Amino acid sequence: MATRIDVTGADGVHLTAWDFADPPKPGRSREPGVLLLHGLMGRASHWAGTARWLGERHRAVAVDQRGHGRSDKPADGPYDREAYVADAVATLEQLDLAPAVLIGHSMGALTAWQVAARRPDLVRALILCDMRASAYGAASQREWEDWFRAWPLPFTTLADVHKWFGEDDPWAERPNPARGAFYAEVMAESPDGWRPVFDPEQMLRSREAWVHNAHWDELAQVRCPTLVLRGLDGELGRAEAQEMVRVLPRGQYAEVADAGHLVHYDQPEAWRTAIEPFLEGALTG
C-alpha cells in the first residue's frame, strides 16, 4: 500500500508523492531509492504496477508533477523545464532518495536526464522510456492543440472515456483498451460529467517549453548508466534511440514488442523483463 507524502517544489508549489516501499526484510538493507516521473498528462498512479514490484527492494516513490494529479496547478505556472527539473531535485532531496535511479516516461524521461546532467550527485542510473532527444517541432504542437479541441468534453460516463480514448480517438493509430484505461485515470467526475484533472492549456504550455528544442547536448552530459527504452510502435524510432545510446557515455538500448508510447502501462510484464537486467547491472557494477 502506498503512503502519501507532501513535497514542496520550486516556488513553494505543493507536490503530492506516493512511497511504495515495503518494510525492509530482517537483516536486509534497502537498495537505492527510485523516483518515477510520469509523462505529460500522466500521474503518479500510472506507475503503481512498476512501483509495487520495485518497492520489494527499493524505496520507490512516484510523484504527481506540477499541473498534474493531486499536485498544485498554479494558474501562472511556471511550466518550463527549469520548474520541472527543480521540482524533481526538491523531491530527491526532501525525501532523501539520492543518489537514486530515475525512471521517466516521455516528458518525465526528459526531466530525468536533465536532472542527471545538472545534478549528477543525485542520480545513480536512468531509465528513459519513449522520449526523443530531437525537436518535435511546431507542427507537432499544432496537432496537439487540434487533438485537445477534439475531445468530446465532458464525457457522460467513465465508460465513455474508456471507449473514446481506447477505440474512437481519430488520433490513435489503432484501438487499444490500455490507452482507454490510461486516460480514465486522469479524469474526475464534475457536475456536468467527466473532465481531466489537468488544465489542457497548462499541458500545452508545458509541452511548448521543450517541443521546439533538441536536447542532445544535455543527454551527452549524462555520466551515469542509462537505459534508452522504446515501444516498437512508440514515438521514439529505433534509429534515433540507438543514436541516443551512442551519444550517452554509458548508454544501453532496449525495446518492447507489441507496445506503443505507453510501454510501462500497456505491456507491464514485458517492461519489467526489459528493465530488470539493466537495474541489476547498474546497481551492482
Side-chain angles (χ1 to χ4, degrees), residues 132-213:
R132 298 179 60 189
S134 299
Y136 283 69
S140 171
Q141 189 72 354
R142 289 193 296 271
E143 288 175 2
W144 271 65
E145 292 167 359
D146 292 342
W147 180 54
F148 275 131
R149 283 194 291 267
W151 289 20
L153 296 174
F155 292 96
T156 305
T157 68
L158 202 55
D160 293 326
V161 176
H162 281 269
K163 186 174 187 303
W164 197 81
F165 288 101
E167 301 176 24
D168 300 338
D169 183 356
W171 272 260
E173 291 187 1
R174 60 179 183 273
N176 182 354
R179 187 173 185 268
F182 183 94
Y183 284 100
E185 283 197 49
V186 295
M187 296 288 165
E189 191 171 16
S190 61
D192 62 349
W194 291 81
R195 294 180 178 274
V197 297
F198 51 78
D199 181 341
E201 286 302 318
Q202 292 178 356
M203 297 299 98
L204 288 171
R205 284 161 60 191
S206 295
R207 196 172 189 271
E208 185 79 25
W210 52 265
V211 73
H212 301 292
N213 303 316

Side-chain angles (χ1 to χ4, degrees), residues 31 57 124 279-285:
E31 294 192 26
R57 298 177 60 178
R124 183 156 178 181
L279 284 173
E280 289 288 341
L283 299 180
T284 59

